[in-house]
Amino acid sequence: MRKFTSVKDVPDVLSLSDEALALKNAPFSQEGLGKHKTLGLIFMNPSLRTRISSQKAATSLGMEVMVLNVDKEGWALEFREGAIMNGTTVEHVKDAAAAMGRYCDIIGIRCFPGLQNREEDYAEIILNQFIRYAGVPVISLESATLHPLQSLADLITIRETWKESGRKPKVVLTWAPHIKALPQAVANSFAEWMLAAGMDLSITHPPGMELKEDFTRGARIIHHQDEALQDADFIYVKNWSSYQDYGHTLHQPEWMLTEEKLRHSSLGKIMHCLPVRRNVELSDELLDSARSLVISQADNRIWAAQVVLKKMLDNL
Ligand code: CP
């Protein structure tokens, strides 16, 4: 594997999640694989889970890890081809990525969207420039439009939780309120991974919050949350801003998921990628209940990262 940026980079998501679960059962079974290899983690935005789970996964494979918080510690990067750099940017990505590629055997990068210009964000300019100039395998640690490590962890979580062999689980992705506009990345990614894994997926959101169809084709889109939640086995709660009216959000607090809302419709497990705004997106009583899988999802970020790093190290 030379890059891990979307579900399209994975030939078989079910077998990748099986391999991740095998590593979960034997975390140090490949501890010599990454000896004398270095993982560089580049963060242009904040992170708790992605940063620490990736470091832990790499260390268990015997790798060294270097972290660069570009937003605080690096030079201001330029991404425009042919730019006359007489403004605030100090270093071109061509030079920065190429230098990082000499220090690291694998690079991970987190680069959120600006949510101002849809075409620019969906072109994944920053991620693609790193892939182009680094010269080493690149892992997305959440890009402008996708968060594949999170979605792999979510798939692992669903597969290890679901014990009924006779039918597929009913998975529902529900839009949640938030105080600010967030990217579509987690929702886009969750949809494409669930569909690639053959899950029965419904997506519910207020009108106007439709995701880009490329990611959701094959899912049921339902604008009535109560109807969508009926008999759900897994309920994934997430806010995202509008793709159509790009970057805008809605004030609809009634979309917050609560126990009361599920009382007569579903005993399903509750999922969220974290960080979560408690009692805005999801109520305390659901997050703190036995139904919540959010900490298992965070745990499974380790095995998602470890299996992806293993695949890349196998091919170095
Ligand atoms: N879920 C997730 O990516 O968490 P962080 O933003 O803390 O890394």
Side-chain angles (χ1 to χ4, degrees), residues 42 68 70 75-79 91-103 107 130 133-134:
I42 301 170
L68 178 65
V70 175
W75 301 113
L77 292 180
E78 176 63 59
F79 294 95
E91 177 163 32
H92 203 281
V93 66
K94 286 184 186 187
D95 308 312
M100 288 291 293
R102 297 299 174 96
Y103 308 144
I107 288 176
F130 267 90
Y133 294 116

Side-chain angles (χ1 to χ4, degrees), residues 293-305:
L293 296 179
V294 299
I295 302 304
S296 297
Q297 291 172 260
D299 176 359
N300 286 330
R301 291 295 307 271
I302 302 168
W303 320 111

Side-chain angles (χ1 to χ4, degrees), residues 103-122:
Y103 308 144
C104 305
D105 300 281
I106 300 172
I107 288 176
I109 179 162
R110 167 165 283 200
C111 46
F112 287 176
L115 293 179
Q116 302 294 320
N117 183 322
R118 187 170 82 179
E119 281 62 43
E120 275 183 17
D121 288 346
Y122 274 71

Side-chain angles (χ1 to χ4, degrees), residues 147-307:
H147 195 356
L149 282 176
Q150 181 64 52
S151 306
L152 175 54
D154 297 336
L155 178 60
I156 294 165
T157 307
I158 290 173
R159 293 191 75 213
E160 72 178 355
T161 305
W162 185 245
K163 302 295 180 203
E164 283 187 42
S165 55
R167 71 175 177 95
K168 287 180 189 168
K170 181 179 174 189
V171 179
V172 178
L173 168 62
T174 180
W175 185 87
H178 204 280
I179 61 160
K180 57 185 249 195
L182 297 188
Q184 296 106 38
V186 170
N188 285 342
S189 204
F190 183 74
E192 70 170 11
W193 279 75
M194 289 300 109
L195 293 166
M199 298 289 174
D200 174 353
L201 179 68
S202 300
I203 304 175
T204 184
H205 54 71
M209 284 293 154
E210 286 73 15
L211 295 164
K212 188 176 186 188
E213 202 184 342
D214 295 9
F215 302 112
T216 63
R217 204 169 286 117
R220 276 182 300 279
I221 311 297
I222 303 171
H223 289 143
H224 297 283
Q225 191 185 37
D226 290 344
E227 180 191 333
L229 293 172
Q230 201 70 39
D231 302 322
D233 298 303
F234 294 91
I235 304 171
Y236 201 99
V237 182
K238 186 71 186 85
N239 172 267
W240 62 87
S241 60
S242 176
Y243 174 73
Q244 316 296 334
D245 186 12
Y246 192 63
H248 287 87
T249 193
L250 292 177
H251 178 70
Q252 299 216 353
E254 67 276 15
W255 276 75
M256 180 173 80
L257 198 69
T258 61
E259 200 168 70
E260 176 58 30
K261 200 173 264 187
L262 297 177
R263 194 175 300 281
H264 303 294
S265 61
S266 166
L267 296 171
K269 300 289 188 187
I270 307 302
M271 302 180 73
H272 190 289
C273 61
L274 303 180
V276 64
R277 296 266 182 169
R278 281 174 173 257
N279 305 310
V280 174
E281 295 175 81
L282 246 173
S283 66
D284 273 341
E285 86 261 5
L286 281 177
L287 278 164
D288 297 333
S289 74
R291 299 171 70 156
S292 172
L293 296 179
V294 299
I295 302 304
S296 297
Q297 291 172 260
D299 176 359
N300 286 330
R301 291 295 307 271
I302 302 168
W303 320 111
Q306 195 161 326
V307 77

Side-chain angles (χ1 to χ4, degrees), residues 13-33:
V13 295
L14 297 180
S15 99
L16 190 68
S17 63
D18 284 342
E19 283 186 62
L21 284 166
L23 287 170
K24 187 172 184 175
N25 287 323
F28 304 111
S29 56
Q30 310 283 325
E31 63 188 347
L33 188 64

